[in-house]
């Protein structure tokens, strides 16, 4: 993700990198190593006062997205790109941080999104929806339609698995947004 940013930072910035709180400084260190060592390019955001216009990159905690005033401050920065580390943490569309992220993307008209995860979604296939909706809302705009179109119900009536008859078609469609490796 950082190599992609390095190649196009002037075209896709300012950038927000959304991470777990414990990884803010690690991501900042990696930004300095991989993208730019210029001290004025990237700021690790640990409090609202750090949200000052003029930086090319802002690294902040996903939990800060749960705070409405924080999202409003982010909107003032004119972010054009988001990198979402550990995107599986946004699978619950009812969670405050997920709602904050979706508001930021919609209200900020954020065009470019890179979602990263090393955690496979295996337990419940309906958890794919929110992530796909974030990445490609024009293709995945209704959770109910997504369930009916691509999933099958388990014995409890929950949509937990990809319909085996549509699995290849689902993989083909989502390959536009998902790069998946299998061991």
């Amino acid at each position: 993700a950082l190599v992609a940013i390095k190649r196009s930072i002037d075209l896709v910035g300012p950038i927000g990198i959304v991470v777990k709180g414990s990884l803010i400084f690690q991501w900042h260190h990696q930004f300095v190593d991989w993208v730019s060592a210029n001290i004025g390019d990237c700021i690790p955001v640990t409090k609202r006062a750090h949200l000052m216009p003029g930086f090319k990159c802002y690294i902040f905690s996903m939990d800060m997205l749960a705070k409405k005033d924080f999202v409003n401050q982010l909107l003032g920065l004119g972010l054009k790109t988001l990198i979402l580390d550990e995107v599986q943490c946004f699978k619950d569309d009812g969670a405050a941080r997920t709602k904050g992220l979706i508001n930021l993307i919609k209200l900020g008209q954020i065009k470019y999104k890179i979602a990263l995860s090393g955690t496979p979604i295996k337990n419940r296939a309906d958890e794919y929806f929110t992530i796909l909706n974030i990445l490609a809302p024009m293709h995945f705009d209704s959770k109910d339609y997504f369930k009916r179109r691509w999933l099958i119900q388990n014995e409890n009536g929950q949509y937990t698995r990809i319909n085996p008859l549509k699995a290849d078609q689902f993989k083909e469609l989502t390959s536009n947004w998902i790069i998946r490796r299998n061991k």
Side-chain angles (χ1 to χ4, degrees):
L2 290 174
V3 170
I5 294 304
K6 180 178 183 167
R7 293 181 180 197
S8 56
I9 194 165
D10 293 325
L11 299 173
V12 299
I15 299 160
I17 301 178
V18 185
V19 302
K20 290 187 176 186
S22 61
L23 297 175
I24 290 173
F25 291 104
Q26 177 65 32
W27 267 88
H28 183 261
H29 175 74
Q30 295 300 320
F31 184 92
V32 168
D33 283 352
W34 287 87
V35 180
S36 172
N38 182 348
I39 196 162
D41 282 350
C42 184
I43 185 167
V45 177
T46 57
K47 55 186 176 182
R48 288 179 184 89
H50 294 151
L51 292 175
M52 300 173 285
F55 289 91
K56 291 183 178 182
C57 178
Y58 300 84
I59 303 171
F60 53 90
S61 164
M62 58 182 64
D63 291 328
M64 294 178 107
L65 291 169
K67 301 173 182 173
K68 184 174 175 41
D69 56 332
F70 185 79
V71 171
N72 288 337
Q73 281 185 277
L74 287 171
L75 290 170
L77 299 174
L79 298 175
K80 294 181 184 175
T81 300
L82 285 178
I83 296 175
L84 308 168
D85 190 24
E86 302 293 342
V87 72
Q88 76 278 359
C89 294
F90 294 101
K91 65 186 176 193
D92 179 3
D93 57 357
R97 68 175 160 209
T98 304
K99 289 178 182 178
L101 175 64
I102 291 169
N103 281 337
L104 174 61
I105 291 168
K106 285 182 181 176
L107 297 174
Q109 298 178 350
I110 295 177
K111 184 175 181 180
Y112 306 107
K113 298 158 288 238
I114 299 174
L116 306 171
S117 177
T119 304
I121 297 175
K122 291 188 176 185
N123 295 336
R124 296 188 50 160
D126 63 340
E127 293 173 349
Y128 272 112
F129 174 76
T130 303
I131 297 165
L132 289 168
N133 175 256
I134 288 168
L135 294 173
M138 304 241 345
H139 294 280
F140 302 97
D141 64 340
S142 165
K143 190 171 188 175
D144 289 333
Y145 178 76
F146 176 79
K147 287 179 180 180
R148 287 190 315 272
R149 172 80 172 106
W150 299 109
L151 308 180
I152 58 172
Q153 293 179 322
N154 66 12
E155 60 279 351
N156 297 325
Q158 297 174 324
Y159 290 90
T160 57
R161 295 183 333 172
I162 304 274
N163 184 334
L165 300 175
K166 297 179 180 180
D168 290 338
Q169 188 180 3
F170 180 76
K171 286 179 186 177
E172 182 179 335
L173 174 65
T174 58
S175 69
N176 293 312
W177 302 281
I178 297 174
I179 299 171
R180 187 174 186 158
R181 68 172 174 82
N182 295 319
K183 287 188 175 181

